[in-house]
Amino acid sequence: MNRSMNVLSRGKQNWLKLAVVGLMVLFPLATTRAAAPEPQPPAQDRAAWMDEARFGMFIHWGIYSQLGRGEWVMNREKIPVAEYEKLAATFNPVKFNAEEWVRIAKDAGMRYIVITSKHHDGFAMFGSKVSPYNIVDATPFKRDPLKELAAACQKYGIRLGFYYSHAQDWHHPGGAISRGPWDPRQKGDFDTYFQKKALPQIRELLTGYGPVAVLWCDTPWQMTPEKARQITRLVRELQPATLINSRILYHGRDIPSLSPEQLSELRDIGVDFLSYGDRQIPANPFPDWHWETCMTLNRSWGYRADDHDWKTPATVIRMLVEVTSKGGSFLLNVGPTAEGVIQPEAVAILRQVGDWLKVNGESIYGAGRANLKSPAPAARAPRGRRGEGAAETGPDWLATARPGKLYIHLFRWPQEPFALKGVSGSVEKVSLLADPAHEPLRFQQDDDTVTVHLPPKALDDRDTVLCLELR
């Protein structure tokens, strides 16, 4: 009897196995879909919007703005942790208006914003459950400006990204410190900081503020490829479309000298674009990468009360054109005051850049490298220790392009008919973007040389754009 039951049991098991196999044959798609992970867009697709946007606003803002001596003041002046913490108790940016900030960026022609959610001082500019050292819990302001910015960006069609100091943290024990600790409270284990604060706060940013365009990492002291992968795995799990920059593992100044193997490793880790050095427009950026450079509008990132060395609108326009002509994106910084105000000088400059883009935007947005050799930029003499360079010392013109169109940015108006060499394809029409009627200009084409008869004066002394329409 037991033997018979065992035979029957085995027969039933075999029948069940056959039934399961049959169901899998009948419904293969359902079982495959259940087992497969969600598809993730490839890196090139994720970052493609940067080529369309080209221009973004960087915002350095934190409790350091109260001191008016820049975002590195705690480190540079070796302020003890307990003393620096007191700044939180008096930080009350009552004039902060998220919609106003976003409108300033939009009016400037910027398509995305990246703001410091936590800088190296360790203070979170958002309501963090991970650490009470944040703007909601530790200040009289009691509001989360990043939530307000996220809502305003959604309203005005601007992408929002977060700068997060993933390695350096001068407040949390064990956080990396580029110049070494100066306070016993800073000593500790880096891995503990990374696991207990950095990764959990990144999770908060990716789960509480809607779509995050960019996770912008910086100063990767003590970072390893494996730690970088921990961040990228978290990002891909929570927001697969969020871009990650190369500073997750390499300093911006290191990018030009990276080997093919190092670049390949960045791809493997999940990095989407290269962040070149602060205030540097690379001479020869890697052609097969999306890339970005960040620039200050004066000399400082965080607010400095004594910094009045503002770039002119013409300088900003020229830099934007140069970055676009090399296929990159331009992230231009503002450093709001402790009250939450973007300085009027900055707003005035940005407004002029925006006015120029309203006329000439097609030569920037979605445009890129031209198949044309522009005159080599003149060497830039360093300005002070920060070495921004004077943009006005560059070439007389630069070129950008999109399919079927070539744009010549004339920074200095030619005194004679303008001869452009190296044009591939037949030119159908030549006009000036600043001419409301887009009246065609007289031109002759001889093989790859196009000679254009220009008006006697520039329509815009900062940059008059010549548009060549090609067959």
Side-chain angles (χ1 to χ4, degrees):
M1 182 177 176
N2 290 339
R3 184 177 178 183
S4 300
M5 289 181 66
N6 287 340
V7 169
L8 287 172
S9 177
R10 284 198 298 271
K12 186 180 292 185
Q13 290 173 2
N14 291 335
W15 182 87
L16 287 171
K17 288 179 182 177
L18 289 171
V20 170
V21 170
L23 287 171
M24 290 178 69
V25 171
L26 288 171
F27 305 105
L29 292 177
T31 55
T32 301
R33 283 177 185 152
E38 285 295 319
Q40 297 181 7
Q44 291 296 323
D45 291 343
R46 276 197 300 267
W49 65 261
M50 294 183 75
D51 292 342
E52 178 63 34
R54 291 300 184 207
F55 192 27
M57 174 181 279
F58 212 1
I59 303 175
H60 275 68
W61 192 43
I63 57 175
Y64 45 78
S65 61
Q66 294 178 98
L67 299 178
R69 300 195 293 275
E71 75 290 347
W72 273 71
V73 62
M74 181 183 179
N75 183 298
R76 191 172 53 252
E77 300 181 11
K78 300 295 182 282
I79 300 174
V81 171
E83 182 180 339
Y84 191 84
E85 282 176 337
K86 295 175 183 177
L87 291 174
T90 56
F91 187 61
N92 194 18
V94 293
K95 294 183 180 179
F96 167 73
N97 184 313
E99 287 206 13
E100 183 180 351
W101 283 18
V102 174
R103 283 196 301 268
I104 290 169
K106 192 174 182 69
D107 289 347
M110 294 162 158
R111 300 289 179 87
Y112 65 109
I113 290 173
V114 177
I115 185 170
T116 50
S117 63
K118 187 203 77 166
H119 206 268
H120 310 324
D121 65 352
F123 186 80
M125 293 294 288
F126 62 99
S128 174
K129 302 299 183 186
V130 175
S131 167
Y133 196 49
N134 70 76
I135 191 170
V136 175
D137 295 324
T139 79
F141 189 57
K142 300 298 180 189
R143 286 160 49 193
D144 188 330
L146 300 196
K147 281 194 180 295
E148 296 175 27
L149 270 176
C153 283
Q154 289 278 2
K155 178 177 178 179
Y156 289 97
I158 300 291
R159 296 175 187 264
L160 179 63
F162 297 132
Y163 171 115
Y164 184 84
S165 180
H166 62 308
Q168 284 210 81
D169 192 306
W170 306 329
H171 179 267
H172 195 281
I177 301 176
S178 60
R179 300 170 188 173
W182 60 88
D183 187 318
R185 283 185 57 182
Q186 296 168 324
K187 295 179 180 180
D189 176 63
F190 178 73
D191 190 62
T192 300
Y193 151 76
F194 187 74
Q195 300 296 335
K196 298 295 186 181
K197 184 175 183 181
L199 289 177
Q201 284 194 333
I202 290 172
R203 177 179 288 276
E204 287 180 321
L205 291 169
L206 293 168
T207 53
Y209 297 87
V212 177
V214 181
L215 178 66
W216 214 100
C217 299
D218 198 18
T219 62
W221 299 101
Q222 299 191 41
M223 286 296 293
T224 63
E226 178 50 38
K227 280 187 167 53
R229 284 189 176 90
Q230 289 183 56
I231 293 177
T232 58
R233 284 196 292 265
L234 179 63
V235 173
R236 298 292 166 246
E237 171 197 337
L238 299 174
Q239 292 209 32
T242 298
L243 305 188
I244 302 168
N245 68 333
S246 56
R247 294 194 189 188
I248 194 172
L249 189 60
Y250 291 107
H251 294 274
R253 61 177 178 269
D254 298 331
I255 298 303
S257 60
L258 292 185
S259 67
E261 292 76 19
Q262 289 170 316
L263 290 168
S264 178
E265 182 178 50
L266 285 179
R267 292 264 196 220
D268 182 63
I269 287 170
V271 166
D272 297 292
F273 67 96
L274 301 179
S275 290
Y276 281 84
D278 293 355
R279 307 180 185 86
Q280 293 178 1
I281 300 176
N284 297 294
F286 291 104
D288 56 344
W289 275 87
H290 293 283
W291 66 271
E292 178 191 71
T293 195
C294 54
M295 185 69 63
T296 50
L297 197 49
N298 47 7
R299 286 174 174 255
S300 310
W301 300 103
Y303 173 67
R304 287 189 70 105
D306 61 351
D307 186 355
H308 307 293
D309 189 14
W310 299 99
K311 292 176 176 63
T312 66
T315 295
V316 174
I317 291 167
R318 180 186 281 265
M319 288 178 166
L320 174 59
V321 170
E322 183 179 348
V323 170
T324 303
S325 75
K326 295 176 177 179
S329 298
F330 190 51
L331 191 61
L332 186 62
N333 184 76
V334 295
T337 68
E339 292 183 307
V341 175
I342 297 176
Q343 294 133 293
E345 298 92 335
V347 175
I349 296 165
L350 293 175
R351 185 176 294 119
Q352 287 196 49
V353 175
D355 289 343
W356 181 88
L357 280 166
K358 287 171 186 172
V359 174
N360 302 285
E362 71 171 78
S363 69
I364 300 295
Y365 305 124
R369 299 173 186 265
N371 186 20
L372 184 70
K373 187 175 181 181
S374 300
R380 293 180 178 176
R383 288 176 58 190
R385 67 181 180 88
R386 299 185 183 275
E388 297 94 327
E392 289 84 352
T393 61
D396 290 348
W397 59 270
L398 288 170
T400 60
R402 63 170 64 244
K405 288 189 176 182
L406 182 63
Y407 304 98
I408 309 301
H409 297 258
L410 297 168
F411 305 117
R412 298 184 183 88
W413 199 245
Q415 298 301 310
E416 299 176 357
F418 178 62
L420 187 64
K421 298 179 180 180
V423 178
S424 59
S426 299
V427 178
E428 285 190 329
K429 179 183 176 182
V430 180
S431 62
L432 297 172
L433 293 185
D435 176 7
H438 295 288
E439 290 290 338
L441 300 174
R442 289 191 303 116
F443 71 93
Q444 295 88 38
Q445 183 169 9
D446 182 12
D447 293 330
D448 68 345
T449 300
V450 177
T451 302
V452 182
H453 298 273
L454 296 168
K457 292 184 179 180
L459 301 187
D460 190 324
D461 291 335
R462 301 166 298 190
D463 177 8
T464 298
V465 183
L466 189 66
C467 176
L468 282 69
E469 299 179 30
L470 309 172
R471 290 193 184 93

